[in-house]
Amino acid sequence: INQTLVSSFTCNDKTITVGNYTNATSYLSVNGSIHFISGETTGHIASTSSWGPTRDGRWKPNLDAPGTGTVCTSRILSAVNYQYSNPSALGMCGWHNLNGGTSMASPCVAGIAALYLEKNPNANWNEIKYALQLSARRDNITTQNLPDKIWGYGKADAFDCLTTNVVFGCTNPFSINFNPLANADDGSCQPVIFGCTTPNAQNFNPAANMNDGSCVFGFGETDLTLKNFIYLILRTYRLMSKKIKLMISWKKFKSIKKEMMNYILMINKYF
């Protein structure tokens, strides 16, 4: 595995781990010259950005933001020193200097998270992480096949993050409690357990949550749906009628038969 991810807290699920892609490969310096950054391509992952996954196979980084090739505000002392020692490192106004890496990418994502909290003051770390991941942008550079070990869920997108509605729930369509409206898994998914779920069945399984039609209710029947319930009565009637005919007179048998048929018709009408 091509794995260069830094260790420690960046592997934590509660840490929003940010990768770094190239913001620009050139800029106009304070002395009027164009300064080029070699070995990088605008919009592509930077050579200094660590890859995942984590050692236990989780996707990291969570997303990427612009870092390499960023000209940002400088400390006054640093700006003064650059003017004498390396003026090409300063931007046009003389108070900004070339910076990059995750030192720029992480503050970018932190700023988006701050805006999200301003809009949603009760949001916790998990909601913010999902909002960032769900809104992350994919393009022809990242490809659509994300998440992966380089880009995570894609490139940070501030506007989409602030307009993303995070809905927690079970996102596994093969779970018994799958929520089709959920876009953020909350760990509540319950596996489907097949078995007999009818309490009065002979083979009731209290652990089952999906009836597989195996319930046994006597007389060898395996399904207590209305149709089969009525069929069970009819079958019992036919079996009993043969025995009754041998034991009682024909007149008495016809009377019992009529009562049983009326009972069956009444069940069919109300159920």
Side-chain angles (χ1 to χ4, degrees):
I1 297 175
N2 188 346
Q3 184 175 341
T4 59
L5 187 72
V6 291
S7 59
S8 188
F9 68 92
T10 57
C11 293
N12 193 309
D13 278 335
K14 296 183 179 181
T15 300
I16 299 170
T17 306
V18 182
N20 150 48
Y21 68 87
T22 302
N23 181 46
T25 56
S26 65
Y27 64 95
L28 186 62
S29 67
V30 69
N31 58 11
S33 63
I34 298 177
H35 183 78
F36 294 94
I37 303 168
S38 62
E40 306 291 351
T41 304
T42 301
H44 286 254
I45 200 73
S47 59
T48 57
S49 188
S50 295
W51 292 14
T54 61
R55 289 182 177 85
D56 57 359
R58 287 172 293 114
W59 291 123
K60 287 284 186 174
N62 296 94
L63 74 166
D64 291 73
T68 294
T70 301
V71 177
C72 67
T73 52
S74 178
R75 293 183 301 171
I76 295 177
L77 183 59
S78 296
V80 172
N81 288 334
Y82 277 131
Q83 288 175 9
Y84 291 100
S85 63
N86 185 19
S88 63
L90 293 172
M92 287 190 301
C93 69
W95 297 107
H96 296 76
N97 66 272
L98 178 66
N99 209 321
T102 50
S103 295
M104 294 292 99
S106 294
C108 178
V109 172
I112 298 173
L115 290 172
Y116 189 88
L117 276 171
E118 185 177 6
K119 182 183 178 184
N120 306 282
N122 295 321
N124 60 18
W125 66 269
N126 204 24
E127 182 179 337
I128 296 171
K129 184 178 79 170
Y130 270 110
L132 287 164
Q133 291 179 169
L134 290 168
S135 62
R137 181 167 48 87
R138 305 178 183 191
D139 57 24
N140 62 331
I141 298 173
T142 67
T143 76
Q144 299 299 310
N145 189 26
L146 297 178
D148 69 10
K149 62 183 180 181
I150 301 174
W151 292 98
Y153 286 83
K155 297 177 176 179
D157 189 315
F159 182 81
D160 277 1
C161 181
L162 296 180
T163 54
T164 293
N165 183 29
V166 180
V167 180
F168 285 99
C170 174
T171 59
N172 184 349
F174 299 102
S175 295
I176 190 67
N177 60 329
F178 168 60
N179 181 359
L181 300 178
N183 55 17
D185 200 287
D186 61 0
S188 67
C189 292
Q190 300 173 11
V192 176
I193 302 174
F194 290 98
C196 175
T197 59
T198 306
N200 63 330
Q202 294 176 2
N203 60 330
F204 169 60
N205 181 1
N209 53 29
M210 180 67 73
N211 201 313
D212 61 1
S214 67
C215 294
V216 177
F217 299 95
F219 297 100
E221 301 301 328
T222 59
D223 194 352
L224 200 61
T225 58
L226 177 60
K227 277 187 177 180
N228 286 310
F229 179 67
I230 295 172
Y231 171 73
L232 177 62
I233 294 175
L234 286 170
R235 185 176 175 187
T236 305
Y237 158 70
R238 291 193 185 98
L239 291 172
M240 293 300 295
S241 64
K242 292 179 181 179
K243 295 182 179 180
I244 292 172
K245 283 176 70 174
L246 297 174
M247 297 169 58
I248 61 178
S249 66
W250 176 249
K251 185 176 181 180
K252 183 68 174 176
F253 171 74
K254 286 176 66 177
S255 175
I256 294 173
K257 178 181 177 181
K258 184 177 180 181
E259 288 182 15
M260 291 180 73
M261 289 303 298
N262 287 337
Y263 181 69
I264 291 168
L265 289 173
M266 180 183 71
I267 292 175
N268 197 29
K269 178 180 178 181
Y270 287 100
F271 293 91

